[in-house]
Amino acid sequence: MVELSHHQAQNIVDRMMKNIPYNINIMDHTGTIIGSGNKNRIGTLHHGAVEAIRQRKPVDIYEDEAYVKKGINLPIELNGRIVGVVGISGEVEETRPFGNLLKSAVILLIEQSIALEKENAKMNQKRQFFDSITEVDIEYTKPVIDQALLYGIHLTKPSQVMVVEFPVEVAEDIIDSYPSFKMSSHSLCIIVQDADGMHALQNHVQAQHPAAYISVSKMNDTVSSGYWQARAAMRVLKGVFYNEKAISYSKCEFIADMARLPKYDSSIQNLTHFLKMDGELIKTLQIYISCNLNANETASQLIIHRNTLNYRLSKIHKLTGKDPKNILELVELVFALIARVK
């Protein structure tokens, strides 16, 4: 059963009054005003609308009354049922030419609004389901398993998870070959239960979206495990590596897991604060790490002199108190790089 809401009605009134030089009212199926250019009238009963609903035909009012203004009132019918009334306040002969045009426009806007609300409800339901299956302590009860099947997920089978962060906003159905869920306007979580499918999917995403960041979990018995693995790997990818766009959790498992522990440690946060002050130093440290601490290769990739590299590494040491050339202190700097990524 279609029910007009106050929000729907007021949005329609506001849009239509930009083009029609009269006050517009929208009444619900009881004749109560739920949208109006005159906000003081919202919530009052419009007897002209009541009559239009009862008679199932337009009703004209020629004189102003206490709670009703002169004008025309036309019933809104959807699927054989009157869901409300649209009224235009003013002289009847002046407002009548707008009547059928306004009625048709209102019906179209109502249908669009209802369709949008249904789509939003559908998206919210999907989001809630995704939030539930990515909870650490989720139990796969029969209702959860049955709901997952609606999205093409067999929770009784192992799965891998791919997290993709795009540089621009993307649609949820941008990947149509596997179940996908929007994590944000710029990121997707994709669930793969085909043992041989992940490699092809990663190649496809990288070919179509070369600027996107990609992280891939191991094969797990639960979607939740894969999701958190991929999220942890993504933090490592964006925090530690400068030129890389993809990473597998299996390649950084220890660091990814350990990075969760000191995330809110004050000493790590202090290091992060110092690093944020200089983007050039962050880039230098990232490339130094990716070059396995090889100074010559690092200087070559940065296109700087070896002495300049040494100066930057010394500056990092001075700012943070941690020497990048000392392996134990470098580990702390790695965690600081990761801690920058939310």
Side-chain angles (χ1 to χ4, degrees):
M1 180 184 295
V2 175
E3 296 288 347
L4 275 174
S5 68
H6 164 70
H7 179 72
Q8 287 174 326
Q10 193 59 52
N11 278 344
I12 292 170
V13 167
D14 293 341
R15 291 178 64 178
M16 297 308 297
M17 285 188 62
K18 292 179 180 179
N19 300 304
I20 294 178
Y22 298 96
N23 184 61
I24 296 173
N25 299 311
I26 292 182
M27 286 65 75
D28 63 13
H29 67 285
T30 70
T32 301
I33 299 176
I34 57 174
S36 175
N38 181 354
K39 303 299 189 295
N40 293 328
R41 299 186 64 186
I42 294 175
T44 61
L45 189 66
H46 194 295
H47 76 74
V50 173
E51 281 301 304
I53 293 169
R54 187 181 67 81
Q55 299 180 29
R56 304 184 71 89
K57 66 179 184 180
V59 169
D60 300 333
I61 297 176
Y62 290 89
E63 298 293 336
D64 287 343
E65 300 176 19
Y67 297 104
V68 177
K69 301 297 182 181
K70 58 187 174 184
I72 61 174
N73 300 278
L74 301 94
I76 304 168
E77 187 172 327
L78 289 174
N79 302 320
R81 178 177 173 271
I82 294 178
V83 298
V85 176
V86 59
I88 310 177
S89 301
E91 298 294 338
V92 172
E93 297 305 319
E94 292 179 4
T95 56
R96 197 188 304 280
F98 294 100
N100 288 329
L101 177 63
L102 178 60
K103 177 181 175 181
S104 298
V106 168
I107 289 175
L108 178 61
L109 290 173
I110 289 173
E111 290 176 338
Q112 290 176 344
S113 180
I114 291 171
L116 180 60
E117 287 193 359
K118 286 182 178 179
E119 183 62 26
N120 287 339
K122 184 179 177 182
M123 291 174 61
N124 287 336
Q125 184 180 33
K126 185 176 182 181
R127 176 70 199 191
Q128 290 172 4
F129 169 75
F130 174 69
D131 289 343
S132 71
I133 64 169
T134 53
E135 290 179 357
V136 175
D137 56 353
I138 178 67
E139 292 185 16
Y140 288 163
T141 60
K142 188 176 186 305
V144 173
I145 292 173
D146 290 343
Q147 188 177 6
L149 291 174
L150 298 177
Y151 299 110
I153 303 170
H154 297 265
L155 291 179
T156 56
K157 296 181 179 180
S159 61
Q160 270 184 290
V161 170
M162 174 187 287
V163 166
V164 187
E165 293 190 8
F166 299 88
V168 296
E169 186 170 344
V170 293
E172 194 164 35
D173 58 358
I174 192 171
I175 305 296
D176 58 6
S177 50
Y178 293 98
S180 61
F181 299 85
K182 288 192 78 168
M183 297 163 49
S184 70
S185 61
H186 290 70
S187 60
L188 286 181
C189 175
I190 307 167
I191 298 172
V192 179
Q193 297 187 292
D194 173 4
D196 300 320
M198 183 59 78
H199 182 69
L201 174 61
Q202 183 172 333
N203 287 340
H204 171 75
V205 174
Q206 287 178 312
Q208 297 296 316
H209 308 278
Y213 290 97
I214 300 170
S215 63
V216 178
S217 77
K218 297 196 296 186
M219 186 69 77
N220 294 280
D221 289 334
T222 65
V223 173
S224 175
S225 296
Y227 171 74
W228 290 107
Q229 287 177 2
R231 286 286 302 271
M234 180 63 76
R235 292 184 67 223
V236 174
L237 173 64
K238 297 181 69 176
V240 177
F241 299 100
Y242 181 73
N243 292 319
E244 300 296 322
K245 291 295 183 181
I247 194 170
S248 170
Y249 173 77
S250 61
K251 300 295 185 182
C252 63
E253 183 172 349
F254 177 76
I255 291 295
D257 288 346
M258 290 297 293
R260 299 185 192 182
L261 301 179
K263 183 178 179 182
Y264 300 107
D265 182 84
S266 59
S267 62
I268 294 298
Q269 293 300 324
N270 288 335
L271 294 181
T272 302
H273 171 72
F274 285 120
L275 287 175
K276 281 182 177 179
M277 295 171 61
D278 196 323
E280 184 179 73
L281 294 184
I282 291 175
K283 178 181 177 181
T284 299
L285 186 56
Q286 288 173 324
I287 294 180
Y288 183 62
I289 293 169
S290 67
C291 291
N292 293 315
L293 318 190
N294 185 309
N296 288 331
E297 186 176 347
T298 302
S300 176
Q301 287 200 23
L302 288 168
I303 316 177
I304 58 175
H305 193 274
R306 171 75 179 264
N307 290 340
T308 304
L309 172 62
N310 287 329
Y311 168 77
R312 291 184 186 178
L313 295 177
S314 296
K315 189 175 180 181
I316 292 173
H317 188 183
K318 182 179 180 180
L319 280 173
T320 65
K322 305 299 176 182
D323 185 359
K325 297 180 181 180
N326 181 304
I327 190 63
L328 294 180
E329 295 180 8
L330 178 62
V331 170
E332 293 184 66
L333 290 170
V334 168
F335 285 137
L337 287 172
I338 298 171
R340 296 179 307 115
V341 182
K342 304 303 180 182

